[in-house]
Amino acid sequence: MSDADGAAFAAEDLARLDALLAAPPHAGRSLRPDALHGMLCALAIGPDPFPSDDSWIGVALDDGGRARDPELADLLRRFAARTRADLAAGRCEPLLYALRRGRHDYRSWCEGFLAGVNAAASDWFAYGEPEDVDELIAPIELLADALPPEARARLSPQQWRRRVLEAEAGLPGTLERLRAFWTIVREPPATFRRDGAKVGRNDPCPCGSGRKFKQCHGRA
């Protein structure tokens, strides 16, 4: 990960973090770095400020708050700082590990993201418009295989495969739309003055959020 515009976290740091998380006592308990990155993204872009304490580390390690290796704790904090800096700079690229046959493991990252949603202090679906949150987070739930079985049963194998491929290709955009959504919900921009033609409810919102006008400043 780049060290520009934030805390330095080089490739060798990521490799060392991966090794520590894969070794006892964390092996089989803690999130892998890809899932951890997903969790950190959710905590960084969601409705609440990023936790000022280390409570998120306990979630990531599932260690009950026991004494931790100082090296591991430092790597985790710098990884979080690097992730937050990337998101603040508009770099919304999920950290994906390679699988066999050249594919990437989207499921692990998306499971981590949903863990971050669940770990947030505020209920995402209560804090924001539930329908909007449902729509925005649906591709991540699909890739995490977290949709209800009946939702998948309604699709043929070919339709499901197409949905998966579309969700994979669009994941960075999904993350950016979620970031923009929560930025507006947390800090609504000042009321803008319309100088041009009237904006239709299905047109892009003039505030630049990327959302439809009816889902942003056009809400009744």
Side-chain angles (χ1 to χ4, degrees):
M1 305 176 75
S2 169
D3 62 1
D5 303 319
F9 196 84
E12 54 267 29
D13 294 316
L14 182 60
R16 179 59 177 161
L17 176 60
D18 197 354
L20 289 174
L21 294 176
H26 305 294
R29 296 174 57 92
S30 66
L31 297 180
R32 299 188 322 177
D34 54 348
L36 174 60
H37 185 259
M39 187 190 83
L40 292 171
C41 286
L43 291 174
I45 68 176
D48 308 302
F50 192 86
S52 57
D53 56 15
D54 284 344
S55 57
W56 63 270
I57 296 181
V59 176
L61 298 182
D62 189 23
D63 64 357
R66 297 192 302 270
R68 298 171 185 134
D69 175 6
E71 181 190 11
L72 175 59
D74 175 67
L75 285 168
L76 288 167
R77 294 185 189 107
R78 288 197 289 121
F79 187 46
R82 175 68 266 157
T83 301
R84 295 171 63 193
D86 281 341
L87 291 168
R91 295 188 288 268
C92 298
E93 287 291 333
L95 173 64
L96 303 174
Y97 280 4
L99 295 171
R100 294 179 180 177
R101 294 175 292 182
R103 290 186 53 75
H104 287 90
D105 185 1
Y106 287 85
R107 179 170 179 169
S108 183
W109 188 93
C110 290
E111 287 177 340
F113 189 94
L114 296 180
V117 172
N118 291 331
S122 299
D123 183 335
W124 278 39
F125 296 89
Y127 196 105
E129 291 287 339
E131 291 184 0
D132 291 346
V133 177
D134 268 332
E135 180 181 347
L136 288 166
I137 207 171
I140 294 176
E141 292 179 324
L142 184 150
L143 292 176
D145 201 18
L147 293 178
E150 56 269 22
R152 182 166 184 169
R154 289 195 291 266
L155 301 173
S156 69
Q158 294 79 8
Q159 290 172 321
W160 180 260
R161 176 66 173 168
R162 185 169 64 250
R163 292 277 185 90
V164 168
L165 292 176
E166 290 172 351
E168 289 177 352
L171 187 55
T174 295
L175 187 54
E176 172 56 27
R177 286 189 290 275
L178 279 164
R179 188 189 68 81
F181 171 80
W182 285 118
T183 297
I184 291 173
V185 172
R186 290 195 310 262
E187 302 174 7
T191 302
F192 56 84
R193 177 182 176 183
R194 187 180 70 241
D195 295 322
K198 182 178 179 180
V199 180
R201 286 182 55 74
N202 288 311
D203 292 337
C205 186
C207 74
S209 68
R211 304 173 67 218
K212 292 181 180 180
F213 180 65
K214 68 180 180 181
Q215 296 174 327
C216 195
H217 282 80
R219 290 179 184 172

